[in-house]
């Protein structure tokens, strides 16, 4: 997970250990999909809220990924795998 979340800012409510436990049966590709889906959800949320992102020429900015973004991403990827997922 650390590799897939590298370079993406995580909010304080994101618990990587809990994500690992909740995605125990996921493959590496599934974990990459969760992280990328969570990042897309964060971007969409920022666009909806019309929050401008600070752009740096040498390093693109990413909005902060929060726990809801991750939870919704896990549910979506689990659903695409045909697996029921209930977050605790």
């Amino acid at each position: 997970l650390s590799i897939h979340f590298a370079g993406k800012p995580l909010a304080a409510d994101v618990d990587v250990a809990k994500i690992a436990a909740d995605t125990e049966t996921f493959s590496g590709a599934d974990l990459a999909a969760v992280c990328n889906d969570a990042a897309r959800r964060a971007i969409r949320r920022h666009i909806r809220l019309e929050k401008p992102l600070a752009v740096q020429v040498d390093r693109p900015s990413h909005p902060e990924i929060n726990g809801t973004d991750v939870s919704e991403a896990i549910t979506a990827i689990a659903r695409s795998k045909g697996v029921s997922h209930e977050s605790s």
Side-chain angles (χ1 to χ4, degrees), residues 16-74:
V16 177
K18 182 178 180 327
I19 296 168
D22 288 349
T23 58
E24 187 175 41
T25 61
F26 284 30
S27 69
D30 295 332
L31 294 175
V34 166
C35 295
N36 290 329
D37 189 84
R40 281 190 296 274
R41 289 171 188 277
I43 290 168
R44 286 186 200 116
R45 180 172 32 80
H46 272 66
I47 290 170
R48 259 193 329 272
L49 298 174
E50 297 182 31
K51 289 186 177 180
L53 295 174
V55 177
Q56 298 173 350
V57 174
D58 58 340
R59 185 170 174 253
S61 296
H62 298 280
E64 193 172 67
I65 298 168
N66 66 30
T68 301
D69 298 324
V70 175
S71 179
E72 290 175 356
I74 291 171

